[in-house]
Amino acid sequence: MTEDFWQRLLALHYVYPKPLNRLNRLMIDDPELEKLYRRKPFEIAALMEISLAQANQLKTAYAEALTIPFKDLYEKHKITPVSFHHPNYPVSLLDLIDPPAILYAKGRIELLLSPEKIAVIGSRNASHYSQKAINAILPPLVEQQCLIVSGLAKGADAMAHATAIELGGQTIAVTGSGFLHPYPKENAGLHSIIEEKYLSITEYPPYMQPKRWNFPMRNRIISGLSQGILVTEAKAKSGTLSTVEHALDHGKDIFAVPGDIFSALSEGPHKLIAEGAKPVWKGSQILEEYRLLRAEK
């Protein structure tokens, strides 16, 4: 990637932070975005399926963003943009219908290439049962060099990251906002540790604040990075299960922790088990599942 193309891509994504399938519309006949600043607004509107007013706004904002020294700006904040061209960009993300065009990263970007990744997710209101389950299941996974992926939300996500760190393992946090607006504030200390010693990533430019609709989009990256998904506690209708839906769409393995039949937070895992997810209560069960899958291949 040339420096000029890198600047143009960063400028476009800064003002139009959309997935690769959207940005590709501008690159089909212009792979290095050399023509974008010359395109007529009506042409941009037709290619992107947006209004003429939006196209005018995009072109104006893009022209202004081209003057921003992104390389220096991101270095100052210790942010590494990992585009779909980057050697550390996970190939598995390209299987998504809407892969992130750029991952903004803080920490050790080599962790993106870790071959064994398991996502651990669950309710933001997870009970102590989730922590007990995570304590029981994660040690064998970490011992076998499985990297733990989660979304840094309150509850089960934070438990998964913190436990992986305590066990001496590796973890990746996938967040739903830009680095200038860390979320949630309750996890600020944990987030700082992950940024400094492990890896935190987001598809949103640094200025992006956490918005409700960012998190379902974040969930597809958690799924796309991981070989399998472990669900601890979740209600039958929850954001946790949207991650599972993404995983099922791409043939990922689903593991669920059986729970108290009288708890609403067991409804999600029990529903998944009824639909074919593997019930687990020991990390060795997940490892054994992968041994069988490798043997079949």
Side-chain angles (χ1 to χ4, degrees):
M1 185 185 296
T2 65
E3 287 288 332
D4 287 344
F5 175 41
W6 188 222
Q7 174 68 13
R8 290 191 289 265
L9 180 61
L10 288 173
L12 174 60
H13 196 259
Y14 191 79
V15 300
Y16 197 69
K18 301 293 183 181
L20 183 59
N21 62 316
R22 295 282 297 167
L23 300 191
N24 265 342
R25 298 181 183 192
L26 293 169
M27 293 189 279
I28 291 173
D29 64 344
D30 184 20
E32 296 206 352
L33 296 171
E34 294 172 305
K35 305 175 186 175
L36 179 54
Y37 76 97
R38 296 196 304 268
R39 285 191 190 273
K40 301 295 184 183
F42 74 84
E43 185 182 3
I44 295 173
L47 283 170
M48 305 304 288
E49 296 182 351
I50 57 179
S51 69
L52 187 58
Q54 289 172 315
N56 270 305
Q57 186 178 16
L58 170 58
K59 186 172 180 180
T60 300
Y62 172 69
E64 293 175 357
L66 284 173
T67 66
I68 298 173
F70 288 107
K71 183 177 178 181
D72 294 338
L73 178 65
Y74 291 147
E75 282 181 2
K76 176 183 176 182
H77 291 284
K78 298 182 180 179
I79 297 170
T80 302
V82 178
S83 77
F84 64 98
H85 289 95
H86 196 287
N88 287 69
Y89 187 94
V91 176
S92 61
L93 291 181
L94 295 175
D95 293 332
L96 299 174
I97 295 171
D98 49 359
I102 295 175
L103 294 171
Y104 298 90
K106 274 194 172 188
R108 296 162 50 200
I109 63 170
E110 68 272 15
L111 293 182
L112 288 169
L113 300 181
S114 297
E116 309 280 350
K117 301 187 191 75
I118 298 292
V120 180
I121 59 174
S123 174
R124 286 175 168 79
N125 298 311
S127 72
H128 185 59
Y129 182 73
S130 278
Q131 185 65 71
K132 289 172 67 177
I134 287 168
N135 288 346
I137 293 170
L138 259 57
L141 299 178
V142 170
E143 186 178 330
Q144 293 299 313
Q145 310 303 313
C146 286
L147 183 148
I148 304 304
V149 179
S150 199
L152 200 65
K154 294 188 296 182
D157 288 17
M159 293 174 186
H161 291 302
T163 303
I165 291 168
E166 289 167 9
L167 292 169
Q170 308 296 338
T171 192
I172 294 176
V174 186
T175 69
S177 60
F179 282 117
L180 296 181
H181 299 280
Y183 180 86
K185 292 182 180 178
E186 296 93 322
N187 290 342
L190 178 60
H191 199 175
S192 294
I193 292 169
I194 293 173
E195 288 178 355
E196 290 173 13
K197 298 184 178 180
Y198 305 95
L199 180 63
S200 179
I201 60 172
T202 177
E203 69 176 320
Y204 298 109
Y207 66 86
M208 289 284 285
Q209 296 189 16
K211 301 293 184 182
R212 182 165 44 90
W213 51 84
N214 291 1
F215 296 94
M217 293 294 287
R218 179 274 310 270
N219 292 344
R220 82 194 195 288
I221 299 177
I222 294 174
S223 167
L225 283 175
S226 309
Q227 290 174 285
I229 311 289
L230 171 65
V231 181
T232 60
E233 292 180 299
K235 291 185 177 180
K237 293 183 179 180
S238 69
T240 297
L241 298 192
S242 77
T243 308
V244 173
E245 289 172 7
H246 285 296
L248 289 171
D249 287 343
H250 295 93
K252 302 297 177 76
D253 306 304
I254 309 299
F255 306 97
V257 178
D260 181 348
I261 62 172
F262 299 106
S263 170
L265 291 176
S266 297
E267 292 175 359
H270 290 170
K271 180 175 184 287
L272 293 173
I273 291 168
E275 293 172 351
K278 183 177 177 63
V280 295
W281 51 93
K282 296 185 294 186
S284 59
Q285 294 170 297
I286 297 175
L287 295 172
E288 184 61 28
E289 184 75 7
Y290 284 119
R291 289 191 193 103
L292 290 172
L293 288 170
R294 290 190 191 103
E296 289 172 4
K297 291 179 181 177

